[in-house]
């Protein structure tokens, strides 16, 4: 066994919201699960400690955790994205505009135009409830040892709410249902708020599109465990100036939903320095003065060193994009609406390649894969 490797490996996976850009996550998840299979075959123990998500990331996460295993998860994701596919060009309309007329298996147009002045949303998302039932085994999800966490915003209180299959001690156990996953993707004004137990919820990405903390909390505190936190960042940093109001709104969404993770990454270095200081001070405390509570708190704090080692699969990382053999040019504005079959498959393949390059490097560095894998 490699000197760098530990006996057990835990993986946390964090999936952003981003509409059709979620196909990147589809491909990246396939690459991650295949690498985990390779590690297993080498005789190591590797598990998914947590999968957290927002919006389309929550839907992808549900397919992964609500499955019988890794192979089943890939089948469920494939079925999901096949159902969301709009096909390719028809009557000359751009791919990303097709979704304005609805996406089969996701949302459909409203036709109650006589009541348009009272509308609070433009589409009906009830098709997604059936899609989730078809592609997620909710009994398996609720019983899974993998922590599943999706977020939504309480419309009335403005609070970010977490729906978990492993509640904290101060939380009531709930059974995750299709409504909880849909709530995480109920982005206004396009989509209606989702009602759950006399409350209504909007998309969790309004407050935080990258639920890092929930994945970190799910890691065990065991000393013999290596921890890998994998995060998808679906939004580009650079783009040409918008040419119309639609592109202004598209650019606003990119900046709003993509940059939080990059800010968290900058803060990670500061947190890591503080943890190193804590460890150094703890080591300087005489053995006689140490208490079980102090040791426990230091060990608990050490889990957050994971923040300093985020494996960020970032569409704005030009070096990663080049290494994956992909074009650096940004996609057209509105790509997150492109549910065409060609667009989905293109992003799936790109996500697979990006994750393969990034994770192969990380797994090798941890001694989890042969050097020539």
């Amino acid at each position: 066994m490699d000197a760098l490797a530990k006996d057990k490996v835990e993986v946390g996976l964090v999936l952003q919201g981003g509409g059709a850009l979620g196909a990147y996550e589809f491909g990246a998840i396939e690459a991650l699960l295949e690498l985990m299979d390779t590690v297993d075959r080498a005789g190591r123990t590797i598990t998914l400690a947590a999968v957290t998500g927002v919006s389309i990331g929550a839907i992808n996460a549900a397919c992964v955790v609500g499955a019988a295993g890794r192979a089943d998860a890939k089948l469920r994701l494939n079925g999901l994205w096949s159902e969301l596919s709009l096909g390719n060009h028809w009557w000359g309309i751009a791919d990303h505009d097709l979704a304005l007329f609805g996406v089969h298996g996701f949302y459909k147009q409203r036709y109650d135009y006589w009541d348009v002045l009272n509308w609070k949303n433009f589409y009906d998302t009830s098709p997604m409830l059936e899609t989730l039932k078809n592609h997620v085994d909710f009994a398996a999800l609720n019983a899974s040892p993998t922590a599943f966490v999706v977020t939504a915003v309480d419309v009335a209180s403005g609070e970010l709410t977490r729906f978990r299959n492993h509640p904290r001690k101060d939380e009531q156990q709930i059974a995750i249902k299709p409504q909880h996953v849909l709530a995480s993707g109920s982005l206004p004004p396009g989509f209606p708020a989702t009602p759950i137990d006399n409350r209504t919820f909007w998309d969790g990405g309004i407050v935080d599109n990258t639920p890092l903390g929930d994945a970190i909390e799910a890691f065990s505190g065991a000393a013999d465990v290596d921890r890998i936190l994998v995060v998808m960042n679906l939004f580009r940093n650079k783009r040409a100036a918008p040419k119309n109001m639609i592109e202004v709104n598209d650019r606003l969404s990119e900046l709003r939903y993509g940059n939080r993770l990059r800010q968290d990454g900058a803060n990670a270095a500061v947190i890591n320095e503080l943890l190193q200081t804590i460890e150094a001070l703890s080591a300087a405390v005489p053995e006689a003065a140490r208490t079980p509570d102090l040791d426990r708190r230091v060990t608990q704090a050490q889990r957050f060193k994971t923040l300093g080692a985020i494996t960020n699969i970032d569409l704005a990382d030009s070096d990663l994009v080049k290494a994956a053999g992909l074009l650096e040019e940004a996609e057209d504005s509105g790509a997150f609406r492109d549910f065409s079959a060609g667009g989905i498959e293109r992003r799936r393949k790109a996500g697979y390649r990006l994750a393969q390059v990034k994770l192969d490097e990380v797994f090798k560095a941890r001694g989890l894969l042969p050097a020539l894998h």
Side-chain angles (χ1 to χ4, degrees):
M1 182 181 298
D2 193 295
L4 293 174
K6 294 185 179 180
D7 293 335
K8 299 177 182 178
V9 184
E10 292 178 350
V11 177
L13 179 60
V14 181
L15 302 172
Q16 285 188 335
L21 300 182
Y24 284 117
E25 294 176 336
F26 172 19
I29 292 167
E30 288 184 303
L32 171 61
L33 296 179
E34 287 176 9
L35 281 172
M36 291 178 70
D37 285 339
T38 301
V39 173
D40 267 344
R41 287 193 294 270
R44 305 295 304 285
T45 300
I46 185 167
T47 59
L48 269 177
V51 184
T52 68
V54 178
S55 201
I56 195 67
I59 295 168
N60 282 332
C63 285
V64 174
V65 183
R70 293 172 199 152
D72 187 39
K74 288 188 282 187
L75 288 174
R76 290 177 182 277
L77 282 168
N78 189 69
L80 167 75
W81 283 94
S82 293
E83 190 160 345
L84 298 183
S85 171
L86 285 174
N88 287 307
H89 294 283
W90 57 293
W91 15 299
I93 295 179
D95 287 338
H96 58 72
D97 289 333
L98 292 174
L100 295 175
F101 300 97
V103 174
H104 175 73
F106 197 157
Y107 58 90
K108 60 185 178 181
Q109 289 179 285
R110 294 179 59 170
Y111 294 103
D112 55 334
Y113 300 120
W114 61 87
D115 195 35
V116 68
L117 293 180
N118 292 316
W119 281 15
K120 292 181 286 186
N121 52 278
F122 297 116
Y123 298 100
D124 174 359
T125 53
S126 59
M128 179 52 75
L129 292 174
E130 293 305 312
T131 297
L132 287 165
K133 292 175 185 177
N134 290 337
H135 299 291
V136 178
D137 182 341
F138 282 91
L141 186 155
N142 285 292
S144 175
T146 298
F148 172 84
V149 187
V150 297
T151 60
V153 179
D154 185 311
V155 176
S157 70
E159 294 179 354
L160 186 66
T161 302
R162 290 165 172 80
F163 300 121
R164 321 171 192 263
N165 64 347
H166 298 172
R168 292 175 174 174
K169 292 180 180 179
D170 59 342
E171 294 176 341
Q172 183 179 359
Q173 176 78 48
I174 64 167
I176 301 295
K177 299 177 181 178
Q179 290 88 339
H180 297 100
V181 181
L182 177 60
S184 184
S186 299
L187 183 64
F191 299 157
T194 297
I196 299 175
D197 297 333
N198 299 317
R199 300 162 68 191
T200 55
F201 295 91
W202 276 337
D203 192 305
I206 295 171
V207 173
D208 183 0
N209 200 41
T210 315
L212 284 175
D214 298 299
I216 293 169
E217 285 184 3
F219 285 127
S220 71
D224 64 341
V225 173
D226 197 0
R227 301 172 186 86
I228 300 174
L229 182 62
V230 180
V231 185
M232 287 294 299
N233 199 337
L234 302 175
F235 296 90
R236 310 263 183 175
N237 253 353
K238 298 178 181 179
R239 185 179 294 283
K243 297 185 291 293
N244 52 52
M245 287 300 293
I246 292 177
E247 291 192 5
V248 167
N249 187 64
D250 291 344
R251 183 58 172 154
L252 178 62
S253 294
E254 283 183 325
L255 297 175
R256 177 185 295 155
Y257 298 125
N259 280 339
R260 172 66 184 270
L261 174 60
R262 296 177 185 117
Q263 293 166 2
D264 286 344
N267 292 334
V270 176
I271 294 173
N272 222 32
E273 285 186 17
L274 289 173
L275 290 171
Q276 289 171 356
T277 301
I278 290 171
E279 289 172 344
L281 290 173
S282 175
V285 174
E287 188 69 30
R290 300 178 71 89
T291 65
D293 182 61
L294 175 61
D295 289 338
R296 178 187 60 78
R297 291 165 64 186
V298 171
T299 299
Q300 195 170 33
Q302 286 172 333
R303 288 193 305 162
F304 291 90
K305 289 177 70 175
T306 308
L307 277 173
I310 295 174
T311 300
N312 187 4
I313 302 172
D314 191 348
L315 270 294
D317 183 342
S318 60
D319 290 336
L320 175 59
V321 170
K322 287 180 184 177
L326 305 175
L327 296 176
E328 288 189 82
E329 288 80 3
E331 292 186 286
D332 292 336
S333 176
F336 49 84
R337 294 190 299 272
D338 178 11
F339 282 90
S340 67
I344 288 173
E345 185 60 19
R346 184 170 61 252
R347 294 185 189 92
R348 173 190 181 180
K349 289 180 177 177
Y352 180 91
R353 183 61 185 146
L354 289 165
Q356 191 178 49
V357 170
K358 187 74 174 185
L359 295 174
D360 190 76
E361 173 188 324
V362 171
F363 278 40
K364 284 176 181 174
R366 303 290 185 103
L368 300 173
L369 296 174
L372 296 178
H373 173 75

